[in-house]
Amino acid sequence: MPARVLFIGLDAAEPSLLRALIERGDLPALAALSSRGASGSLANCMLTLPGAVWPEIMSGVSCGTLPRFFHPRQVITGEAAPRPLTAADVADDPTFWKVAADAGRRVAVADIPHAPPTPGFSGVQLTEYGLHDSHFGSASQPPSLLDQLRAVHGPYPTASCDHAGGSTRANLQLLADLHLAAQRKTNVLLDLLGREPW
């Protein structure tokens, strides 16, 4: 039987906090996964290139070679002014999931930041169901999957935590929305994982 691989990327997770919570016993599932697999934290320069992290992870190519620095306002070679990257701009970028699918593996991909739907992808893909950085719009492969998941688990309850309003009441509402978001995202991911032997 081919090896099964589960990749979990925890965007903006504080590694020292995660380690402390694992050691304290508060994250048993993450503790079990990290004890059986490989884990690591990034040491990139977050002050200058935060938008390059996910493109580097998903492609395995450095941002010096594959210039993806800031999706909302990217300088494009040959163009006079920065502009948002479009799905067409990154359609040919390599991804580890397309390589796996092209090698005959059955692959499911869910909510990788800065990743539009992958053209010609034979697996299952959910994009921007619930992400902090949404650039390309919610979609899925097959196209009906997103509507199915929303019908069963509900829509993602918050669009952006950056624009909550700033008042105590707005921040408390954001906190409640984020708790609901975490539960819905968990349910969506468990649903996808349980659909077939990826």
Side-chain angles (χ1 to χ4, degrees), residues 59-198:
S59 70
V61 179
S62 121
C63 67
T65 302
L66 183 69
R68 306 289 177 246
F69 305 109
F70 188 60
H71 283 64
R73 199 161 184 266
Q74 173 79 44
V75 174
I76 308 290
T77 301
E79 296 185 15
R83 63 168 174 80
L85 286 172
T86 66
D89 292 325
V90 299
D92 294 329
D93 289 0
T95 62
F96 65 84
W97 55 88
K98 181 129 176 18
V99 170
D102 288 350
R105 301 291 190 241
R106 190 70 179 131
V107 181
V109 181
D111 268 0
I112 302 285
H114 308 300
T118 304
F121 182 59
S122 62
V124 170
Q125 187 175 16
L126 178 67
T127 60
E128 297 186 6
Y129 163 76
L131 288 180
H132 178 273
D133 293 311
S134 295
H135 309 295
F136 306 113
S138 299
S140 64
Q141 172 60 34
S144 61
L145 176 65
L146 179 60
D147 288 337
Q148 290 171 11
L149 292 170
R150 283 179 173 158
V152 172
H153 304 291
Y156 197 74
T158 183
S160 172
C161 57
D162 291 337
H163 308 291
S167 70
T168 300
R169 182 177 179 183
N171 287 338
L172 289 172
Q173 182 61 54
L174 174 63
L175 180 60
D177 289 346
L178 290 174
H179 281 183
L180 178 58
Q183 188 58 58
R184 286 190 180 168
K185 188 79 164 269
T186 298
N187 294 340
V188 163
L189 294 174
L190 290 174
D191 184 334
L192 287 174
L193 283 172
R195 287 182 176 222
E196 60 181 281
W198 303 106

